[in-house]
Amino acid sequence: MASKTTNPFTFLQQVRAETAKVTWPSRRETLISTVMVLAFAALAALFFFAADQVMSWVIELILQIGS
């Protein structure tokens, strides 16, 4: 498939025009989103830590039964 080559200057003008159409989030929205991501990452870390500890304890209990 043949592609039409575009003048780099024209291309940059088009990129700039498209970027101007983007609705960027406000500073407050960005801050809230960042805090939410960090909070959920911390909750996920705590959940997986607790799950790992429980599974470790259960496996240790199972392996001690046989000895």
Side-chain angles (χ1 to χ4, degrees):
M1 181 164 152
S3 64
K4 182 180 174 186
T5 58
T6 305
N7 180 358
F9 182 71
T10 305
F11 174 74
L12 290 175
Q13 282 180 328
Q14 291 171 351
V15 168
R16 194 166 182 188
E18 289 298 320
T19 305
K21 296 177 186 177
V22 174
T23 304
W24 298 101
S26 69
R27 184 176 207 87
R28 185 172 187 272
E29 289 171 331
T30 304
L31 180 66
I32 290 171
S33 297
T34 302
V35 169
M36 293 299 291
V37 167
L38 293 175
F40 278 108
L43 285 173
L46 288 173
F47 169 77
F48 285 115
F49 176 75
D52 182 57
Q53 293 298 313
V54 168
M55 286 186 276
S56 173
W57 176 75
V58 169
I59 290 172
E60 189 175 312
L61 187 66
I62 291 170
L63 292 176
Q64 285 180 355
I65 290 175
S67 30

